[in-house]
Amino acid sequence: QVQLVESGGGSVQTGGSLRLSCAASGSTGSSACMGWFRQAQGKERERVACICGGSLSILYADSVKGRFTISRDNAKSTVYLQMNSLKPEDTAMYYCAAGRFCAATMTGVGMDYWGKGTLVTISL
């Protein structure tokens, strides 16, 4: 049984930074990719970033390129999302997920395991 637990969310002002963490317990098996997804109130869930194959392949949504950085520490079974230059439109619940096809899904459909999410709120 795989469990993903996110942490690091909070409320910051525009231009601020947050670092999200996702700690995985149990073996993710063939779920070679870890991803961060987010869902704002009233909107569809969207992919933020993926990291696959031990950091060999990294993918970002256009809206976060240059501001967010995904990384993983395999020894700690943890994936991070460093978020800088935050904007009000980054406000959302952020979810960590594990799966084989992170890069192939814009909404997270098909990802095998999910955390419960951590809330990020960006104020003006």
Side-chain angles (χ1 to χ4, degrees):
Q1 185 73 18
V2 174
Q3 286 190 322
L4 303 176
V5 179
E6 302 97 335
S7 61
S11 180
V12 298
Q13 291 186 323
T14 297
S17 297
L18 285 171
R19 188 195 196 200
L20 305 184
S21 299
C22 171
S25 60
S27 173
T28 58
S30 61
S31 300
C33 295
M34 299 293 292
W36 286 97
F37 294 79
R38 67 186 182 186
Q39 187 166 22
Q41 194 169 6
K43 294 188 177 181
E44 191 176 34
R45 186 173 59 198
E46 63 176 355
R47 184 184 63 210
V48 176
C50 297
I51 186 167
C52 304
S55 306
L56 292 178
S57 177
I58 292 177
L59 174 70
Y60 295 102
D62 288 342
S63 60
V64 306
K65 281 181 181 176
R67 301 188 297 122
F68 291 11
T69 302
I70 189 170
S71 61
R72 67 193 300 173
D73 184 336
N74 289 329
K76 296 182 179 180
S77 299
T78 300
V79 176
Y80 304 97
L81 185 68
Q82 177 66 45
M83 305 187 296
N84 299 327
S85 302
L86 284 162
K87 304 175 181 180
E89 50 263 44
D90 295 317
T91 295
M93 185 70 80
Y94 283 70
Y95 298 92
C96 174
R100 296 175 60 190
F101 306 112
C102 185
T105 174
M106 296 296 292
T107 61
V109 172
M111 295 296 279
D112 299 316
Y113 306 103
W114 289 88
K116 294 183 178 181
T118 185
L119 182 63
V120 172
T121 304
I122 312 302
S123 58
L124 291 171

